Short mmCIF file of all heavy atoms in Angstrom, two decimals:
data_model
loop_
_atom_site.label_atom_id
_atom_site.label_comp_id
_atom_site.label_asym_id
_atom_site.label_seq_id
_atom_site.Cartn_x
_atom_site.Cartn_y
_atom_site.Cartn_z
N MET F 535 -36.68 -3.00 13.68
CA MET F 535 -36.13 -3.15 14.98
C MET F 535 -35.15 -1.95 15.25
O MET F 535 -34.59 -1.40 14.36
CB MET F 535 -35.21 -4.43 15.07
CG MET F 535 -36.08 -5.64 14.99
SD MET F 535 -35.15 -7.18 14.95
CE MET F 535 -35.24 -7.64 16.67
N ILE F 536 -35.07 -1.65 16.54
CA ILE F 536 -34.20 -0.55 16.94
C ILE F 536 -32.68 -0.75 16.61
O ILE F 536 -31.99 0.09 16.15
CB ILE F 536 -34.30 -0.31 18.44
CG1 ILE F 536 -35.72 -0.11 18.81
CG2 ILE F 536 -33.41 0.83 18.90
CD1 ILE F 536 -36.04 -0.08 20.33
N ILE F 537 -32.26 -1.96 16.62
CA ILE F 537 -30.85 -2.31 16.26
C ILE F 537 -30.56 -1.85 14.93
O ILE F 537 -29.46 -1.40 14.57
CB ILE F 537 -30.62 -3.84 16.52
CG1 ILE F 537 -30.92 -4.20 17.92
CG2 ILE F 537 -29.27 -4.23 16.09
CD1 ILE F 537 -30.90 -5.70 18.07
N SER F 538 -31.52 -1.98 13.97
CA SER F 538 -31.29 -1.62 12.61
C SER F 538 -30.93 -0.15 12.45
O SER F 538 -30.16 0.17 11.78
CB SER F 538 -32.64 -1.98 11.84
OG SER F 538 -32.45 -1.33 10.55
N GLY F 539 -31.70 0.60 13.26
CA GLY F 539 -31.29 1.95 13.36
C GLY F 539 -29.90 2.35 13.71
O GLY F 539 -29.31 3.15 13.17
N GLU F 540 -29.42 1.62 14.80
CA GLU F 540 -28.11 1.79 15.16
C GLU F 540 -27.03 1.39 14.12
O GLU F 540 -26.11 2.19 13.98
CB GLU F 540 -27.92 0.96 16.47
CG GLU F 540 -28.57 1.59 17.69
CD GLU F 540 -28.32 0.72 18.92
OE1 GLU F 540 -27.43 -0.08 18.88
OE2 GLU F 540 -29.05 0.95 19.97
N LEU F 541 -27.34 0.40 13.48
CA LEU F 541 -26.41 0.00 12.34
C LEU F 541 -26.42 1.04 11.32
O LEU F 541 -25.28 1.47 10.85
CB LEU F 541 -26.93 -1.23 11.88
CG LEU F 541 -26.57 -2.62 12.52
CD1 LEU F 541 -27.26 -3.79 11.89
CD2 LEU F 541 -25.09 -2.81 12.67
N SER F 542 -27.53 1.67 11.02
CA SER F 542 -27.51 2.69 9.96
C SER F 542 -26.71 3.89 10.47
O SER F 542 -26.04 4.54 9.66
CB SER F 542 -28.90 3.27 9.75
OG SER F 542 -28.99 4.15 8.77
N ALA F 543 -26.73 4.24 11.70
CA ALA F 543 -26.09 5.39 12.29
C ALA F 543 -24.48 5.05 12.11
O ALA F 543 -23.72 5.94 11.67
CB ALA F 543 -26.42 5.56 13.66
N SER F 544 -24.13 3.90 12.56
CA SER F 544 -22.65 3.55 12.62
C SER F 544 -22.16 3.62 11.11
O SER F 544 -21.17 3.90 10.88
CB SER F 544 -22.48 2.29 13.33
OG SER F 544 -22.79 1.25 12.40
N ASN F 545 -23.04 3.11 10.21
CA ASN F 545 -22.74 3.12 8.80
C ASN F 545 -22.40 4.47 8.35
O ASN F 545 -21.44 4.76 7.51
CB ASN F 545 -23.80 2.49 7.91
CG ASN F 545 -23.34 2.11 6.59
OD1 ASN F 545 -22.04 1.98 6.36
ND2 ASN F 545 -24.17 2.14 5.73
N GLU F 546 -23.11 5.42 8.76
CA GLU F 546 -22.90 6.89 8.33
C GLU F 546 -21.50 7.34 8.86
O GLU F 546 -20.79 8.04 8.17
CB GLU F 546 -24.02 7.73 8.92
CG GLU F 546 -24.80 8.48 7.95
CD GLU F 546 -25.87 9.31 8.47
OE1 GLU F 546 -26.83 8.81 8.95
OE2 GLU F 546 -25.77 10.58 8.44
N THR F 547 -21.24 7.01 10.09
CA THR F 547 -19.94 7.43 10.77
C THR F 547 -18.74 6.86 9.86
O THR F 547 -17.77 7.50 9.65
CB THR F 547 -19.86 6.97 12.17
OG1 THR F 547 -21.06 7.32 12.74
CG2 THR F 547 -18.74 7.62 12.85
N GLY F 548 -18.89 5.60 9.53
CA GLY F 548 -17.94 4.84 8.78
C GLY F 548 -17.94 5.10 7.41
O GLY F 548 -17.23 4.31 6.65
N ASN F 549 -18.55 6.08 6.91
CA ASN F 549 -18.68 6.37 5.50
C ASN F 549 -17.48 7.10 4.93
O ASN F 549 -17.46 8.27 4.50
CB ASN F 549 -19.95 7.20 5.16
CG ASN F 549 -20.15 7.19 3.59
OD1 ASN F 549 -19.60 6.33 2.94
ND2 ASN F 549 -20.99 8.04 3.28
N VAL F 550 -16.19 6.47 5.14
CA VAL F 550 -14.99 7.06 4.65
C VAL F 550 -14.47 6.50 3.41
O VAL F 550 -14.32 5.24 3.46
CB VAL F 550 -13.93 7.12 5.72
CG1 VAL F 550 -12.66 7.78 5.26
CG2 VAL F 550 -14.36 7.88 7.03
N GLN F 551 -14.35 7.25 2.40
CA GLN F 551 -13.86 6.63 1.08
C GLN F 551 -12.38 6.44 1.33
O GLN F 551 -11.63 7.39 1.55
CB GLN F 551 -14.20 7.60 0.00
CG GLN F 551 -15.65 7.58 -0.44
CD GLN F 551 -15.80 8.26 -1.79
OE1 GLN F 551 -15.03 9.04 -2.22
NE2 GLN F 551 -16.97 7.85 -2.45
N LYS F 552 -11.99 5.16 1.02
CA LYS F 552 -10.60 4.91 1.04
C LYS F 552 -10.10 4.89 -0.36
O LYS F 552 -10.51 4.33 -1.26
CB LYS F 552 -10.38 3.47 1.62
CG LYS F 552 -10.58 3.48 3.26
CD LYS F 552 -10.09 2.18 3.80
CE LYS F 552 -10.23 2.31 5.29
NZ LYS F 552 -9.64 1.11 5.91
N LEU F 553 -8.99 5.67 -0.48
CA LEU F 553 -8.39 5.83 -1.82
C LEU F 553 -7.00 5.14 -1.84
O LEU F 553 -6.43 4.83 -0.76
CB LEU F 553 -8.15 7.28 -2.03
CG LEU F 553 -9.37 8.17 -2.13
CD1 LEU F 553 -8.93 9.63 -2.19
CD2 LEU F 553 -10.34 7.79 -3.16
N ASP F 554 -6.63 4.80 -2.97
CA ASP F 554 -5.41 4.13 -3.18
C ASP F 554 -4.20 5.10 -2.90
O ASP F 554 -3.64 5.57 -3.89
CB ASP F 554 -5.20 3.37 -4.47
CG ASP F 554 -5.95 2.07 -4.51
OD1 ASP F 554 -6.56 1.79 -3.43
OD2 ASP F 554 -5.77 1.33 -5.44
N LEU F 555 -3.92 5.56 -1.74
CA LEU F 555 -2.82 6.43 -1.46
C LEU F 555 -1.55 5.71 -0.97
O LEU F 555 -0.57 6.26 -0.92
CB LEU F 555 -3.31 7.44 -0.55
CG LEU F 555 -4.43 8.35 -1.03
CD1 LEU F 555 -4.92 9.23 0.21
CD2 LEU F 555 -3.89 9.27 -2.15
N GLY F 556 -1.73 4.43 -0.59
CA GLY F 556 -0.56 3.73 -0.07
C GLY F 556 0.14 3.09 -1.23
O GLY F 556 -0.45 2.33 -2.02
N VAL F 557 1.42 3.27 -1.35
CA VAL F 557 2.15 2.73 -2.39
C VAL F 557 3.26 1.85 -1.78
O VAL F 557 3.88 2.20 -0.93
CB VAL F 557 2.84 3.77 -3.35
CG1 VAL F 557 1.74 4.49 -4.20
CG2 VAL F 557 3.60 4.85 -2.57
N VAL F 558 3.40 0.71 -2.45
CA VAL F 558 4.44 -0.21 -2.06
C VAL F 558 5.61 0.06 -3.10
O VAL F 558 5.42 -0.28 -4.29
CB VAL F 558 3.99 -1.64 -2.07
CG1 VAL F 558 5.15 -2.55 -1.64
CG2 VAL F 558 2.83 -1.78 -1.17
N ILE F 559 6.81 0.44 -2.62
CA ILE F 559 7.82 0.81 -3.53
C ILE F 559 8.99 -0.17 -3.29
O ILE F 559 9.32 -0.48 -2.15
CB ILE F 559 8.36 2.20 -3.33
CG1 ILE F 559 7.22 3.23 -3.52
CG2 ILE F 559 9.55 2.46 -4.26
CD1 ILE F 559 7.51 4.68 -3.23
N CYS F 560 9.57 -0.65 -4.33
CA CYS F 560 10.69 -1.50 -4.13
C CYS F 560 11.98 -0.74 -3.53
O CYS F 560 12.29 0.42 -4.05
CB CYS F 560 11.19 -2.16 -5.42
SG CYS F 560 12.69 -3.17 -5.31
N LYS F 561 12.52 -1.17 -2.57
CA LYS F 561 13.58 -0.41 -1.90
C LYS F 561 14.87 -0.40 -2.63
O LYS F 561 15.82 0.27 -2.26
CB LYS F 561 13.78 -0.91 -0.50
CG LYS F 561 14.13 -2.35 -0.31
CD LYS F 561 14.31 -2.72 1.17
CE LYS F 561 14.67 -4.19 1.34
NZ LYS F 561 14.72 -4.55 2.71
N TRP F 562 14.97 -1.37 -3.65
CA TRP F 562 16.08 -1.45 -4.45
C TRP F 562 16.08 -0.62 -5.62
O TRP F 562 16.98 -0.02 -5.96
CB TRP F 562 16.47 -2.94 -4.77
CG TRP F 562 16.50 -3.80 -3.49
CD1 TRP F 562 15.63 -4.76 -3.17
CD2 TRP F 562 17.39 -3.60 -2.46
NE1 TRP F 562 16.04 -5.30 -1.91
CE2 TRP F 562 17.15 -4.70 -1.52
CE3 TRP F 562 18.59 -2.88 -2.24
CZ2 TRP F 562 18.01 -4.93 -0.36
CZ3 TRP F 562 19.26 -3.19 -1.06
CH2 TRP F 562 18.94 -4.04 -0.17
N CYS F 563 14.97 -0.80 -6.42
CA CYS F 563 14.90 -0.04 -7.75
C CYS F 563 13.83 0.98 -7.75
O CYS F 563 13.62 1.71 -8.69
CB CYS F 563 14.63 -1.05 -8.94
SG CYS F 563 13.03 -1.93 -8.71
N ASN F 564 13.14 1.31 -6.60
CA ASN F 564 12.05 2.28 -6.39
C ASN F 564 11.05 2.19 -7.34
O ASN F 564 10.39 3.17 -7.76
CB ASN F 564 12.79 3.82 -6.66
CG ASN F 564 13.71 4.09 -5.42
OD1 ASN F 564 13.44 3.80 -4.37
ND2 ASN F 564 14.82 4.84 -5.67
N GLN F 565 10.79 0.98 -7.88
CA GLN F 565 9.63 0.76 -8.70
C GLN F 565 8.37 0.56 -7.75
O GLN F 565 8.42 -0.09 -6.79
CB GLN F 565 9.97 -0.50 -9.57
CG GLN F 565 8.98 -0.70 -10.65
CD GLN F 565 9.24 -1.87 -11.46
OE1 GLN F 565 10.17 -2.56 -11.35
NE2 GLN F 565 8.34 -2.27 -12.48
N VAL F 566 7.22 1.15 -8.34
CA VAL F 566 6.03 1.00 -7.53
C VAL F 566 5.50 -0.36 -7.80
O VAL F 566 5.23 -0.75 -9.07
CB VAL F 566 4.97 2.06 -8.08
CG1 VAL F 566 3.68 1.87 -7.35
CG2 VAL F 566 5.51 3.42 -7.80
N LEU F 567 5.42 -1.16 -6.87
CA LEU F 567 5.05 -2.67 -6.91
C LEU F 567 3.54 -2.71 -6.97
O LEU F 567 2.98 -3.35 -7.88
CB LEU F 567 5.74 -3.46 -5.88
CG LEU F 567 7.10 -3.38 -5.75
CD1 LEU F 567 7.61 -4.15 -4.49
CD2 LEU F 567 7.91 -3.87 -6.93
N THR F 568 2.83 -1.95 -6.11
CA THR F 568 1.50 -1.98 -6.11
C THR F 568 0.93 -0.92 -5.16
O THR F 568 1.69 -0.20 -4.50
CB THR F 568 1.02 -3.34 -5.36
OG1 THR F 568 -0.50 -3.36 -5.47
CG2 THR F 568 1.45 -3.57 -4.00
N THR F 569 -0.41 -0.60 -5.33
CA THR F 569 -0.95 0.41 -4.48
C THR F 569 -1.96 -0.27 -3.58
O THR F 569 -2.65 -1.26 -3.97
CB THR F 569 -1.59 1.53 -5.30
OG1 THR F 569 -2.54 0.91 -6.19
CG2 THR F 569 -0.60 2.26 -6.16
N ILE F 570 -2.11 0.25 -2.35
CA ILE F 570 -3.05 -0.21 -1.47
C ILE F 570 -3.88 0.80 -0.90
O ILE F 570 -3.49 1.94 -0.77
CB ILE F 570 -2.46 -1.00 -0.27
CG1 ILE F 570 -1.37 -0.07 0.38
CG2 ILE F 570 -1.67 -2.34 -0.74
CD1 ILE F 570 -0.72 -0.73 1.70
N PRO F 571 -5.27 0.51 -0.64
CA PRO F 571 -6.12 1.44 -0.04
C PRO F 571 -5.79 1.78 1.38
O PRO F 571 -5.72 0.94 2.25
CB PRO F 571 -7.52 0.92 -0.04
CG PRO F 571 -7.25 -0.63 -0.09
CD PRO F 571 -5.80 -0.83 -0.84
N THR F 572 -5.42 3.17 1.72
CA THR F 572 -5.15 3.60 3.00
C THR F 572 -5.82 4.79 3.31
O THR F 572 -6.36 5.50 2.39
CB THR F 572 -3.72 3.78 3.31
OG1 THR F 572 -3.16 4.70 2.36
CG2 THR F 572 -2.87 2.40 3.07
N ASN F 573 -5.77 5.31 4.48
CA ASN F 573 -6.50 6.49 4.82
C ASN F 573 -5.55 7.82 4.62
O ASN F 573 -5.97 8.96 4.62
CB ASN F 573 -6.87 6.61 6.30
CG ASN F 573 -8.13 5.85 6.51
OD1 ASN F 573 -9.03 5.94 5.61
ND2 ASN F 573 -8.36 5.14 7.66
N GLY F 574 -4.34 7.60 4.29
CA GLY F 574 -3.48 8.65 4.01
C GLY F 574 -2.28 8.18 3.12
O GLY F 574 -2.22 6.97 2.79
N VAL F 575 -1.49 9.18 2.72
CA VAL F 575 -0.45 8.83 1.83
C VAL F 575 0.66 8.04 2.56
O VAL F 575 1.15 8.55 3.68
CB VAL F 575 0.30 10.13 1.26
CG1 VAL F 575 1.46 9.67 0.41
CG2 VAL F 575 -0.82 10.88 0.48
N THR F 576 0.90 6.90 2.19
CA THR F 576 1.80 6.03 2.93
C THR F 576 2.77 5.42 2.02
O THR F 576 2.40 4.84 0.98
CB THR F 576 1.03 4.84 3.69
OG1 THR F 576 0.03 5.46 4.51
CG2 THR F 576 1.94 4.11 4.63
N LYS F 577 3.95 5.32 2.31
CA LYS F 577 5.07 4.74 1.47
C LYS F 577 5.42 3.40 2.22
O LYS F 577 5.88 3.48 3.37
CB LYS F 577 6.19 5.59 1.23
CG LYS F 577 6.12 6.43 0.02
CD LYS F 577 7.38 7.17 -0.28
CE LYS F 577 7.13 8.17 -1.52
NZ LYS F 577 8.37 9.09 -1.70
N ILE F 578 5.44 2.38 1.64
CA ILE F 578 5.81 1.09 2.13
C ILE F 578 6.87 0.49 1.28
O ILE F 578 6.74 0.36 0.08
CB ILE F 578 4.74 0.10 2.36
CG1 ILE F 578 3.65 0.66 3.16
CG2 ILE F 578 5.11 -1.17 2.94
CD1 ILE F 578 2.27 0.02 3.23
N TYR F 579 7.98 0.19 1.87
CA TYR F 579 9.15 -0.30 1.11
C TYR F 579 9.15 -1.79 1.09
O TYR F 579 9.20 -2.42 2.22
CB TYR F 579 10.51 0.19 1.60
CG TYR F 579 10.70 1.71 1.17
CD1 TYR F 579 10.36 2.73 2.11
CD2 TYR F 579 11.25 1.94 -0.11
CE1 TYR F 579 10.60 3.98 1.75
CE2 TYR F 579 11.36 3.21 -0.34
CZ TYR F 579 11.03 4.37 0.55
OH TYR F 579 11.27 5.71 0.17
N GLY F 580 9.05 -2.38 -0.13
CA GLY F 580 9.23 -3.76 -0.18
C GLY F 580 10.24 -4.16 -1.21
O GLY F 580 11.21 -3.37 -1.29
N GLU F 581 10.18 -5.26 -1.80
CA GLU F 581 11.24 -5.46 -2.78
C GLU F 581 10.66 -6.41 -3.89
O GLU F 581 9.64 -7.12 -3.67
CB GLU F 581 12.49 -6.20 -2.23
CG GLU F 581 12.26 -7.38 -1.34
CD GLU F 581 13.47 -7.85 -0.79
OE1 GLU F 581 14.27 -7.11 -0.21
OE2 GLU F 581 13.70 -9.10 -0.86
N CYS F 582 11.20 -6.44 -5.12
CA CYS F 582 10.76 -7.24 -6.15
C CYS F 582 10.93 -8.69 -5.83
O CYS F 582 11.62 -9.03 -4.83
CB CYS F 582 11.46 -6.86 -7.51
SG CYS F 582 11.06 -5.20 -8.07
N LYS F 583 10.31 -9.47 -6.66
CA LYS F 583 10.30 -10.94 -6.24
C LYS F 583 11.59 -11.42 -5.93
O LYS F 583 12.57 -11.43 -6.70
CB LYS F 583 9.63 -11.71 -7.32
CG LYS F 583 10.13 -11.55 -8.76
CD LYS F 583 9.51 -12.42 -9.71
CE LYS F 583 10.13 -12.17 -11.05
NZ LYS F 583 9.48 -12.96 -12.16
N ASP F 584 11.77 -12.07 -4.85
CA ASP F 584 12.99 -12.80 -4.45
C ASP F 584 14.21 -11.91 -4.34
O ASP F 584 15.35 -12.25 -4.32
CB ASP F 584 13.21 -13.92 -5.28
CG ASP F 584 12.14 -15.00 -5.38
OD1 ASP F 584 11.51 -15.19 -4.37
OD2 ASP F 584 11.99 -15.65 -6.44
N GLY F 585 13.93 -10.56 -4.43
CA GLY F 585 14.99 -9.62 -4.27
C GLY F 585 16.00 -9.71 -5.53
O GLY F 585 17.11 -9.39 -5.44
N ALA F 586 15.26 -10.19 -6.60
CA ALA F 586 16.21 -10.37 -7.88
C ALA F 586 16.83 -9.05 -8.30
O ALA F 586 17.89 -8.95 -8.73
CB ALA F 586 15.31 -10.94 -9.01
N CYS F 587 16.02 -7.87 -8.19
CA CYS F 587 16.51 -6.54 -8.64
C CYS F 587 17.65 -6.03 -7.77
O CYS F 587 18.46 -5.24 -8.19
CB CYS F 587 15.45 -5.63 -8.75
SG CYS F 587 14.81 -5.27 -7.13
N LYS F 588 17.75 -6.69 -6.61
CA LYS F 588 18.78 -6.30 -5.70
C LYS F 588 20.20 -6.61 -6.33
O LYS F 588 21.09 -5.87 -6.31
CB LYS F 588 18.69 -7.00 -4.37
CG LYS F 588 19.80 -6.65 -3.43
CD LYS F 588 19.52 -7.46 -2.15
CE LYS F 588 20.77 -7.25 -1.10
NZ LYS F 588 20.58 -8.09 0.09
N GLU F 589 20.23 -7.75 -6.91
CA GLU F 589 21.54 -8.26 -7.51
C GLU F 589 21.81 -7.48 -8.81
O GLU F 589 22.91 -7.11 -9.02
CB GLU F 589 21.38 -9.83 -7.85
CG GLU F 589 21.32 -10.61 -6.57
CD GLU F 589 21.24 -12.08 -6.89
OE1 GLU F 589 21.48 -12.46 -8.01
OE2 GLU F 589 21.05 -12.85 -5.97
N SER F 590 20.81 -7.37 -9.58
CA SER F 590 20.87 -6.58 -10.93
C SER F 590 21.32 -5.17 -10.68
O SER F 590 22.10 -4.62 -11.40
CB SER F 590 19.67 -6.76 -11.74
OG SER F 590 18.57 -6.04 -11.10
N ASN F 591 20.70 -4.50 -9.65
CA ASN F 591 20.90 -3.18 -9.29
C ASN F 591 22.53 -3.09 -8.93
O ASN F 591 23.17 -2.06 -9.20
CB ASN F 591 20.03 -2.70 -8.15
CG ASN F 591 20.17 -1.17 -8.08
OD1 ASN F 591 20.47 -0.42 -9.05
ND2 ASN F 591 19.88 -0.64 -6.85
N HIS F 592 22.86 -4.20 -8.21
CA HIS F 592 24.22 -4.10 -7.78
C HIS F 592 25.18 -4.28 -8.96
O HIS F 592 26.23 -3.68 -9.07
CB HIS F 592 24.35 -5.30 -6.82
CG HIS F 592 25.73 -5.26 -5.99
ND1 HIS F 592 25.92 -4.23 -5.00
CD2 HIS F 592 26.81 -5.92 -5.93
CE1 HIS F 592 27.10 -4.39 -4.56
NE2 HIS F 592 27.63 -5.31 -5.04
N LYS F 593 24.85 -5.03 -9.94
CA LYS F 593 25.66 -5.17 -11.19
C LYS F 593 25.78 -3.82 -11.93
O LYS F 593 26.74 -3.46 -12.41
CB LYS F 593 24.99 -6.28 -12.08
CG LYS F 593 25.35 -7.66 -11.66
CD LYS F 593 24.79 -8.63 -12.62
CE LYS F 593 25.07 -10.06 -12.07
NZ LYS F 593 24.51 -11.16 -13.08
N ASN F 594 24.60 -3.06 -11.91
CA ASN F 594 24.64 -1.93 -12.76
C ASN F 594 25.64 -0.84 -12.13
O ASN F 594 26.18 0.01 -12.72
CB ASN F 594 23.23 -1.25 -12.70
CG ASN F 594 22.35 -2.11 -13.68
OD1 ASN F 594 22.91 -2.75 -14.63
ND2 ASN F 594 21.01 -2.01 -13.54
N HIS F 595 25.71 -1.05 -10.85
CA HIS F 595 26.63 -0.01 -10.12
C HIS F 595 28.07 -0.61 -10.25
O HIS F 595 29.04 0.04 -10.36
CB HIS F 595 26.30 0.00 -8.61
CG HIS F 595 25.31 1.12 -8.44
ND1 HIS F 595 25.49 2.39 -8.36
CD2 HIS F 595 23.97 1.04 -8.18
CE1 HIS F 595 24.40 3.12 -8.07
NE2 HIS F 595 23.58 2.24 -7.92
ZN1 ZN W 11 13.10 -3.89 -7.40
#
């Protein structure tokens, strides 16, 4: 079918390899929590579970 050809063409266009360039960093201890597949280098700030490191970091200071 002709539709099949169109699908193939669009698949070629969307043939972009996504790499794990997005990193989720804890905003309190700067620890890399996880990496996520994005199209560019992206830093996303999160925090460790329940913000526990927020308190411990405060104690260390
Ligand atoms: Zn943390």
